[in-house]
Amino acid sequence: MASFPLVTTLLILFPFLFSTLVYGYSLSSIKSWCNQTPYPQTCEYYLTNNAYNQTIKSKSDFFKVSLQLAIQRARKGEENTHSLGSKCRNAQEKAAWADCLELYDFTVQKLTQTTHPNCKQTDSQTWLSTALTNLETCKNGFYDLGVTNYVLPLMSNNVTKLLSNTLSLNKVPYQKPSYKDGFPTWVKPGDRKLLQTSSAASKANVVVAKDGSGKYTTVKAATDAAPSGSGRYVIYVKAGVYNEQVEIKAKNVMLVGDGIGKTIITGSKSVGGGSTTFRSATVAVVGDGFIGQDITFRNTAGGANHQAVAFRSGSDLSVFYRCSFEGYQDTLYVHSERQFYRECNIYGTVDFIFGNAAVVLQSCNIIARNPPQKTITVTAQGRTDPNQNTGIIIHNSKVTAASDLNPSSVKSYLGRPWQKYSRTVFIKTSIDGFINPAGWLEWSGNFALDTLYYAEYGNTGAGSSTSNRVSWKGYHVLTSASQATPFTVGNFIAGNSWLPGTGVPFTAGL
């Protein structure tokens, strides 16, 4: 019998030692760390079979490794998505595929941001939440258009489970971000004066006017040409109706009009017309630091065409002031990131405020229109993971019925759980009597009723009584200020840290 060198014999007999030599940590150590995550088997598989040669000595080390694994798999998912292009058989498949290309690109960008040495844990939680939302949106696009048989399995690479693991490791109590002079880095000192006055339009960088009196005649041309710099770039859109579809990718853009009902950007894309929900938006913004003011955003597809978005925001630290969002189903898509709406109007029928951002709507008018399905749901929040720092908060606002709505012929609800961990809170809001006494509607049977978080605090009006509300485990009537305070502007979206620089009024507390 041939003799083997001692090291070779040990490697054959003791794969445990082999793992330790190659990866720098033992399989038992990997198992111990991975058992702290929601998906330990996925964690063990990728940690054991990866070339990372790191010793995990602390939770911080484990988070960094988990994040790198998630980035690696997200890039692989992006590669896989690119390869699907040749397999798309029709326009519907190509439409959903195109969404995924963009969403995977955004995901890799957000995950890369999270690796920055100066990234705070609260920012990390936002961007990890967004990454997970992006992948869910990619999948939903295929479902929107009925493409489910062969494309989706090709896109499965466990990146969502790795992201959930990383989210769970990063979850920390709120820590207030520190910005120089109390303002975010994208606000120049001179911008504060500009944004705190009504002179934004007169001091615009460029003007859009249909009559040719500005530099551009379309909003799209102006936003496509906007530079993505550290300073505020103001685009003034004169009164008029602009029938176009716009996506704003540059950072720090301010879009200001002549007022609600005067400057109108309108479109009619819809799922019924062959678009995905994501791509149906008349106006979409993904560049961070966006401000919209004194504009109407509209989708005229109508209730019969199902999902038809008037505005979609995936812009971090975005603000909307004195704007109107007008549509039917899925009017306002608060897709992801941190957002704030003040003194805005939102019109719709079904799920007309929906998405998975961390968003507060304050001093807004929420107006229910007559739906073809005879059922109204104001909100549909999309949190898929319990560690996402997302939710829809409606504070000091009004929920009313439009003049065309006959309350006796329609059943109306504050919301329904689009996803398993749906989170929506109404605080000190006037709720009219057209809202059903149950308050909230099931999505499908018992789905999410134990895992959602729906709450009401200090609301008024004929529809605000909680005496006959649903008895779900996830529904809560908040009875003290301390219970409601985590959902205020100051806490939920850290508004004191970045909203002062926008010049938009806000109430930080209850």
Side-chain angles (χ1 to χ4, degrees):
M1 181 177 179
S3 61
F4 292 93
L6 178 60
V7 172
T8 304
T9 303
L10 288 173
L11 292 180
I12 293 172
L13 295 177
F14 302 106
F16 175 90
L17 176 61
F18 174 75
S19 172
T20 303
L21 289 172
V22 174
Y23 298 110
Y25 41 84
S26 69
L27 291 174
S28 62
S29 177
I30 289 173
K31 192 175 187 69
S32 174
W33 284 109
C34 289
N35 279 340
Q36 301 178 35
T37 67
Y39 299 100
Q41 291 182 333
T42 303
C43 170
E44 288 176 35
Y45 175 81
Y46 285 105
L47 208 56
T48 304
N49 294 282
N50 202 280
Y52 290 115
N53 189 16
Q54 301 185 45
T55 301
I56 301 174
K57 295 181 179 179
S58 66
K59 188 174 181 179
S60 175
D61 294 334
F62 186 33
F63 168 76
K64 291 175 183 177
V65 172
S66 296
L67 177 59
Q68 288 300 328
L69 287 172
I71 293 173
Q72 184 186 72
R73 296 312 302 173
R75 286 177 174 152
K76 184 63 178 176
E78 189 174 23
E79 291 176 15
N80 291 343
T81 303
H82 275 280
S83 70
L84 285 175
S86 61
K87 298 179 175 65
C88 292
R89 300 170 296 189
N90 52 46
Q92 286 78 18
E93 291 176 0
K94 288 180 180 178
W97 170 73
D99 283 2
C100 287
L101 284 180
E102 183 171 320
L103 287 159
Y104 262 102
D105 180 48
F106 291 159
T107 295
V108 172
Q109 288 181 34
K110 287 298 174 183
L111 293 178
T112 303
Q113 276 182 249
T114 307
T115 65
H116 193 279
N118 296 328
C119 179
K120 294 178 173 60
Q121 287 176 300
T122 48
D123 291 331
S124 296
Q125 204 70 351
T126 295
W127 299 332
L128 288 167
S129 296
T130 296
L132 199 55
T133 300
N134 287 343
L135 300 186
E136 187 69 22
T137 305
C138 163
K139 182 177 69 176
N140 287 339
F142 286 97
Y143 285 119
D144 281 346
L145 301 178
V147 183
T148 58
N149 293 331
Y150 80 101
V151 177
L152 286 175
L154 293 176
M155 303 182 71
S156 175
N157 57 29
N158 279 321
V159 65
T160 55
K161 291 181 179 178
L162 291 171
L163 283 171
S164 287
N165 286 348
T166 309
L167 267 169
S168 71
L169 295 171
N170 189 64
K171 187 178 181 183
V172 293
Y174 168 71
Q175 295 176 355
K176 181 179 178 181
S178 56
Y179 294 107
K180 184 179 179 182
D181 300 324
F183 304 111
T185 54
W186 46 258
V187 177
K188 289 181 178 179
D191 288 338
R192 184 167 184 256
K193 183 178 180 181
L194 168 68
L195 298 174
Q196 286 182 339
T197 70
S198 59
S199 62
S202 64
K203 296 182 179 180
N205 296 89
V206 293
V207 175
V208 179
K210 291 185 71 69
D211 62 8
S213 61
K215 182 174 182 179
Y216 299 99
T217 58
T218 67
V219 179
K220 178 175 171 52
T223 56
D224 285 352
S228 193
S230 59
R232 175 65 57 197
Y233 188 80
V234 181
I235 301 172
Y236 167 42
V237 186
K238 286 188 175 182
V241 179
Y242 299 82
N243 194 334
E244 50 184 305
Q245 193 171 28
V246 178
E247 183 172 22
I248 302 170
K249 295 184 177 181
K251 294 181 179 180
N252 312 320
V253 169
M254 180 180 187
L255 204 63
V256 59
D258 278 326
I260 290 174
K262 296 179 180 178
T263 298
I264 301 168
I265 307 174
T266 185
S268 58
K269 297 283 186 181
S270 68
V271 169
S275 172
T276 61
T277 301
F278 182 78
R279 198 62 64 183
S280 71
T282 299
V283 177
V285 56
V286 293
D288 293 343
F290 176 82
I291 298 177
Q293 180 176 315
D294 296 321
I295 298 181
T296 291
F297 302 99
R298 184 178 288 167
N299 190 312
T300 61
N305 276 307
H306 308 295
Q307 299 95 325
V309 176
F311 195 97
R312 164 171 55 85
S313 178
S315 166
D316 199 14
L317 307 179
S318 54
V319 174
F320 305 85
Y321 182 41
R322 298 191 309 233
C323 291
S324 186
F325 305 90
E326 301 174 4
Y328 295 85
Q329 182 171 347
D330 289 10
T331 302
L332 177 57
Y333 196 174
V334 290
H335 180 264
S336 55
E337 307 281 14
R338 291 163 286 194
Q339 307 180 23
F340 178 66
Y341 295 73
R342 173 80 181 202
E343 296 171 34
C344 292
N345 301 330
I346 306 99
Y347 294 81
T349 55
V350 177
D351 305 339
F352 60 97
I353 303 172
F354 79 110
N356 197 26
V359 56
V360 180
L361 294 89
Q362 191 174 81
S363 303
C364 292
N365 296 308
I366 298 165
I367 304 149
R369 288 174 146 175
N370 189 43
Q373 306 91 338
K374 301 305 177 186
T375 300
I376 289 170
T377 45
V378 174
T379 66
Q381 205 280 327
R383 193 166 64 137
T384 59
D385 187 286
N387 292 310
Q388 287 178 308
N389 61 351
T390 56
I392 295 173
I393 314 301
I394 296 174
H395 179 220
N396 195 31
S397 296
K398 294 180 180 179
V399 180
T400 61
S403 58
D404 68 341
L405 178 62
N406 180 1
S408 64
S409 65
V410 175
K411 289 186 176 181
S412 304
Y413 302 89
L414 296 174
R416 59 176 181 159
W418 179 26
Q419 298 292 351
K420 187 175 181 180
Y421 298 98
S422 181
R423 178 161 60 182
T424 305
V425 183
F426 283 78
I427 299 173
K428 292 189 174 180
T429 288
S430 173
I431 301 173
D432 278 2
F434 76 101
I435 293 294
N436 189 283
W440 306 83
L441 181 67
E442 299 87 350
W443 183 273
S444 178
N446 292 325
F447 170 73
L449 303 188
D450 289 347
T451 51
L452 60 78
Y453 185 93
Y454 285 164
E456 298 180 58
Y457 174 76
N459 298 314
T460 58
S464 67
S465 173
T466 57
S467 59
N468 292 308
R469 287 294 197 248
V470 293
S471 58
W472 308 338
K473 182 179 178 181
Y475 171 71
H476 307 272
V477 178
L478 307 182
T479 56
S480 68
S482 61
Q483 291 175 312
T485 295
F487 303 107
T488 58
V489 166
N491 287 323
F492 198 69
I493 57 172
N496 288 322
S497 300
W498 59 280
L499 285 174
T502 68
V504 173
F506 69 97
T507 301
L510 293 172

